[in-house]
Amino acid sequence: MSAAAGLSQTVHSEKLYGEVKTSDGESLPYTNIINTNQHLGTTTNREGQFVIHVAQNDTIKLTSIGYRTTYYIIQQVNEYSLNKTFILDKDTVNLSEVVIYPYPSTYKALKREFIALELDEETPLIDLHLDKAGISPQPSTGATISGPFSLIYDKLSRHGKLQRKFERSTKQDEIRLQVSNIYNSSLVADITGLKDEQLIEDFMKFCKLEPEFILNSTSYQIHMAIHDCYIEFINKPE
């Protein structure tokens, strides 16, 4: 193919200067911006701003955790840089109906509520895995209560509360470990070139990336977020 033919197929592109905000008007940092036609990607900085190359009829895809995915088609590209503000709406999750009753004030009233309680016969019992934590879901003395009442006992008992607290704590530890394996001082040093440990620590306190963003983003997106933070860090007023 000749050089002239190659030039005739060159796609004219311009820089799109964009800003992403919520429906409340707040800037939306670390939003994923993808040019699906050219397979280009970037993320918004802490002010919700981004720059990406676009050509006519390109489709821009914007995604952010907790917000609806938005698509935008570039209608026209001219010699002037494009500027546009994008609004992302919060994503809603439909939950099943929940009926809340007032807590009975006396033991007799509580007993009546238990007797009158109607439960679906096919409702599966919740496995709290109490045996793995060395906690027995049944009382050590007295009669053993079976069926739906056993489930109620487990959920209200001190043992059940301890187990749920243990599971929450374990889950949080797992998340912190996953985050630290991705976003740590070694990664910061590689991207920013910082060597001083105290300076790296100060930077990581300044650049507080959300765990959701770290765990759900690509290496490139995290790299760009750290790079943008570093630019702000070195230019921040003393």
Side-chain angles (χ1 to χ4, degrees):
M1 181 173 62
S2 66
L7 290 175
S8 65
Q9 295 181 9
T10 300
V11 177
H12 177 68
S13 65
E14 294 287 345
K15 288 183 178 179
L16 169 65
Y17 292 85
E19 184 176 11
V20 181
K21 293 186 176 183
T22 67
S23 55
D24 298 327
E26 298 182 0
S27 298
L28 197 56
Y30 312 125
T31 299
N32 299 322
I33 313 296
I34 304 295
N35 184 329
T36 60
N37 296 69
Q38 302 187 39
H39 303 291
L40 299 176
T42 186
T43 59
T44 58
N45 60 17
R46 298 178 71 178
E47 282 72 42
Q49 301 168 344
F50 70 92
V51 180
I52 192 171
H53 279 278
V54 297
Q56 187 171 343
N57 297 324
D58 279 356
T59 298
I60 304 300
K61 178 181 178 182
L62 303 95
T63 61
S64 184
I65 298 173
Y67 293 84
R68 294 179 181 175
T69 298
T70 299
Y71 293 88
Y72 178 76
I73 298 177
I74 304 299
Q75 299 289 349
Q76 185 176 2
V77 174
N78 51 39
E79 60 184 5
Y80 302 101
S81 298
L82 301 175
N83 292 273
K84 182 170 178 60
T85 299
F86 298 89
I87 305 297
L88 297 191
D89 296 322
K90 288 186 177 180
D91 197 6
T92 56
V93 178
N94 294 324
L95 301 177
S96 57
E97 180 181 294
V98 176
V99 180
I100 300 177
Y101 297 96
Y103 191 82
S105 58
T106 65
Y107 172 76
K108 289 184 178 180
L110 178 61
K111 183 178 180 181
R112 286 197 301 269
E113 292 293 338
F114 276 142
I115 294 174
L117 184 64
E118 295 183 1
L119 296 176
D120 188 348
E121 294 181 357
E122 297 181 359
T123 300
L125 295 179
I126 299 174
D127 184 8
L128 297 178
H129 306 290
L130 301 181
D131 55 328
K132 295 181 180 179
I135 302 174
S136 172
Q138 300 293 347
S140 56
T141 59
T144 300
I145 305 175
S146 59
F149 292 96
S150 178
L151 173 61
I152 295 172
Y153 170 81
D154 289 346
K155 294 178 68 175
L156 298 180
S157 70
R158 182 172 178 273
H159 286 167
K161 291 179 181 178
L162 289 174
Q163 174 61 19
R164 290 191 291 276
K165 183 177 181 180
F166 170 78
E167 290 181 347
R168 286 195 301 269
S169 176
T170 301
K171 183 63 175 178
Q172 290 172 355
D173 289 341
E174 291 176 355
I175 293 175
R176 279 193 291 267
L177 179 60
Q178 292 174 6
V179 169
S180 64
N181 285 337
I182 299 173
Y183 182 45
N184 49 50
S185 57
S186 297
L187 180 63
V188 170
D190 290 341
I191 295 175
T192 64
L194 296 175
K195 302 298 181 184
D196 184 76
E197 293 183 1
Q198 183 59 51
L199 198 56
I200 292 176
E201 182 179 342
D202 293 342
F203 170 78
M204 294 185 71
K205 289 180 180 178
F206 175 82
C207 186
K208 296 179 180 179
L209 301 182
E210 294 295 330
E212 273 189 322
F213 170 75
I214 295 173
L215 297 178
N216 293 280
S217 300
T218 63
S219 298
Y220 173 79
Q221 292 165 346
I222 294 174
H223 182 112
M224 291 301 299
I226 294 175
H227 177 268
D228 291 342
C229 276
Y230 179 64
I231 298 300
E232 296 180 22
F233 180 72
I234 60 177
N235 292 321
K236 66 182 177 69
E238 298 295 337

